[in-house]
Amino acid sequence: MRVFYEIWHEPLMTIGGTHLISDVLAACGARNVFELAQGFAFAVSAEQLYARAPDAIVVSTFAGNEMLAASRWQRFAPLAAVQAGRVYVIDSALANRMGPRLAEGAAILCALVDRARGAGIEACRRGAERAGDKRQVNRCASSAPPRRARRRVVWPSRGGG
């Protein structure tokens, strides 16, 4: 599951692979689409975003601003993630601040990744059924991740103490 993580909307900004949120995404079984880009946080162009074609988009925003934050993504309607409705919102106070609430934010982020993954599998299955391709229906089902009752998030040591 390839994820674009928005930290700001104007200009459109995201995080690089050295950011802790990239580690959280990895623990959730997802990849930051800008994980190889240089920099901690930076602006990206629409062209860069289209070139990376994320499977899902996670928008971090302030509590109470969720609907507006998600609606801004309609300008990127050609992206498959937007077309499929895989644009999710997370409270920036939980996910973007390095503190004790980050554990709660990580659990929510993992749940959003699981939800996006499930939506992708369902879309695959529906498309294969419409086309009458029974083998593809089975391939969609076999790509489903195993269900886990509990997810343990462990971050690698960053050194320095």
Side-chain angles (χ1 to χ4, degrees):
M1 174 68 45
R2 297 167 28 84
V3 176
F4 175 78
Y5 190 92
E6 176 193 305
I7 60 171
W8 195 248
H9 63 280
E10 200 62 47
L12 186 59
M13 294 186 73
T14 192
I15 51 157
T18 59
H19 198 288
L20 183 61
I21 294 170
S22 288
D23 293 338
V24 173
L25 285 169
C28 297
R31 287 183 39 227
N32 173 0
V33 294
F34 283 95
E35 69 186 355
L36 299 178
Q38 298 295 316
F40 190 66
F42 45 88
V44 295
S45 68
E47 292 78 18
Q48 290 172 304
L49 184 60
Y50 286 121
R52 289 191 173 61
D55 299 314
I57 296 161
V58 177
V59 181
S60 65
T61 190
F62 304 107
N65 197 27
E66 295 88 351
M67 295 301 288
L68 177 61
S71 70
R72 285 188 190 111
W73 278 90
Q74 291 312 306
R75 66 185 170 145
F76 295 104
L79 284 172
V82 175
Q83 290 176 8
R86 292 189 303 266
V87 177
Y88 305 99
V89 179
I90 191 167
D91 184 349
S92 61
L94 295 175
N96 296 5
R97 296 182 186 159
M98 305 308 125
R101 295 181 70 194
L102 181 62
E104 182 182 350
I108 292 169
L109 188 53
C110 287
L112 294 175
V113 167
D114 285 345
R115 193 160 134 205
R117 190 176 286 119
I121 292 166
E122 281 305 310
C124 176
R125 201 174 290 150
R126 281 193 304 273
E129 286 171 352
R130 258 186 260 124
D133 187 342
K134 290 181 181 181
R135 281 187 289 173
Q136 182 60 37
V137 171
N138 292 335
R139 280 190 290 253
C140 293
S142 67
S143 67
R147 291 270 181 213
R148 289 182 246 168
R150 201 174 243 198
R151 185 183 309 259
R152 186 170 165 216
V153 177
V154 178
W155 292 281
S157 173
R158 294 254 184 213

